């Protein structure tokens, strides 16, 4: 499904021009493309938040029927302001939790019987894990479901946070909370420069990751970030997962 991303059309035009320019001009065009993306990223917190909400509402979301033995879960994909930039908030899970110890994730967890739906579960978990009141979150839309090899079907809910800290996280579940500017996520060196190797049925599988300082964002969280960047900016990495 084609998504109405204004800047992508402009970037595409610039990309076409790069191919038709002399070699000495291509670097200038490249920086024009980068600046265009950065300006769009910076505007997400501003006027274009409504555009983002429209994009998320208009896109066809892939909902996966719950397979046998798989637990429904939901996460909040929190957009926050860091200075004048838009950023995503991540959590580092503690080693005290039963699932995904020490991994980078979004606030979230199992959908409980008392939750009205996945959105309610994501907002509840965000409040429990990082102390963000539900009333301070504006839900913008949903992303595609993703299923983990550990037996969870995750439904991502995108939300704009009215606060930018300080975060009061549940130390029993969360070891730390950090933000990553969206402009950094789309930088060429951030995604795919390293891979995380896991074993599936005894077979080693290399998974590309976002490398942000000491953090490695991989697996389901990585897939959710890629889906968000595609929905928000029409951005896809050159290295495909």
């Amino acid at each position: 499904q084609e998504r109405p991303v204004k800047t992508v059309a402009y970037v595409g035009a610039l990309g076409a021009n790069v191919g038709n320019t002399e070699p000495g001009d291509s670097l200038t065009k490249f920086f024009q493309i980068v600046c265009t993306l950065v300006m769009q990223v910076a505007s997400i917190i501003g006027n274009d938040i409504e555009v983002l909400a429209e994009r998320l509402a208009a896109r066809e979301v892939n909902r996966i029927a719950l397979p046998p033995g798989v637990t429904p879960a939901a996460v909040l994909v929190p957009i926050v302001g860091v200075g004048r930039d838009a950023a995503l908030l991540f959590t580092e899970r503690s080693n005290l939790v039963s699932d995904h110890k020490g991994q980078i994730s979004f606030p979230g967890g199992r959908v409980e019987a008392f939750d009205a739906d996945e959105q309610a579960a994501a907002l509840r978990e965000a409040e429990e894990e990082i102390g963000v009141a539900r009333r301070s979150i504006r839900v913008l839309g949903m992303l595609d479901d993703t299923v983990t090899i550990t037996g969870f079907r995750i439904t991502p809910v995108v939300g704009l946070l009215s606060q930018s800290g300080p975060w009061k996280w549940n130390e029993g579940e969360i070891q730390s909370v950090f933000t990553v500017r969206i402009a950094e996520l789309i930088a060429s060196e951030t995604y795919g420069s390293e891979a995380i190797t896991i074993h599936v049925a005894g077979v080693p599988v290399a998974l590309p990751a976002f490398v942000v300082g000491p953090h490695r964002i991989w697996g389901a969280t990585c897939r959710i970030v890629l889906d968000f960047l595609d929905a928000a900016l029409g951005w896809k990495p050159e290295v495909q997962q």
Side-chain angles (χ1 to χ4, degrees):
Q1 182 179 354
E2 186 176 353
R3 296 168 185 154
V5 183
K6 295 180 293 183
T7 302
V8 171
Y10 180 50
V11 170
L14 285 176
N17 289 339
V18 169
N20 298 325
T21 56
E22 294 298 323
D25 295 333
S26 61
L27 186 59
T28 299
K29 294 296 183 182
F30 171 77
F31 281 116
Q32 289 176 339
I33 294 171
V34 172
C35 289
T36 301
L37 278 173
V38 170
M39 284 189 293
Q40 186 187 21
V41 167
S43 67
I44 287 179
I45 290 295
N47 296 331
D48 279 357
I49 196 66
E50 300 301 332
V51 175
L52 174 58
E54 290 174 5
R55 289 176 190 157
L56 291 172
R59 73 194 299 261
E60 184 177 348
V61 178
N62 180 27
R63 298 304 310 274
I64 300 174
L66 194 65
V70 173
T71 301
V75 299
L76 180 71
V77 181
I79 303 174
V80 298
V82 177
R84 299 181 62 183
D85 297 330
L88 295 184
L89 181 146
F90 297 88
T91 62
E92 181 182 7
R93 294 179 66 80
S94 78
N95 291 318
L96 302 176
V97 295
S98 57
D99 301 299
H100 313 121
K101 298 176 186 291
Q103 294 183 17
I104 304 305
S105 64
F106 290 115
R110 301 166 188 260
V111 178
E112 303 291 354
F114 53 78
D115 290 317
D117 51 23
E118 289 83 0
Q119 176 178 313
L123 298 181
R124 172 183 56 77
E125 287 283 351
E127 187 168 32
E128 293 175 359
E129 289 187 357
I130 61 173
V132 177
R134 300 174 216 196
R135 64 180 179 275
S136 68
I137 303 171
R138 177 188 170 188
V139 173
L140 300 177
M142 314 286 277
L143 298 173
D144 292 346
D145 286 351
T146 186
V147 176
T148 71
I149 62 173
T150 51
F152 292 91
R153 183 201 65 189
I154 302 175
T155 299
V157 179
V158 180
L160 179 67
L161 274 56
S162 61
Q163 67 183 84
S164 57
W167 314 110
K168 298 178 181 178
W169 59 85
N170 180 343
E171 294 182 356
E173 298 184 50
I174 304 300
Q175 182 169 313
S176 67
V177 173
F178 63 96
T179 58
V180 182
R181 288 175 170 83
I182 296 175
E184 184 175 0
L185 289 170
I186 65 175
S188 60
E189 70 276 8
T190 302
Y191 178 78
S193 61
E194 292 185 20
I196 302 296
T197 300
I198 64 172
H199 289 80
V200 181
V203 178
V205 178
L207 302 177
F210 287 92
V211 179
V212 183
H215 303 296
R216 304 296 181 268
I217 303 170
W218 60 281
T221 304
C222 177
R223 295 194 297 274
I224 293 169
V225 172
L226 289 172
D227 193 30
F228 170 80
L229 294 174
D230 183 21
L233 301 175
W235 181 87
K236 295 179 184 292
E238 293 183 5
V239 180
Q240 293 295 328
Q241 186 170 354

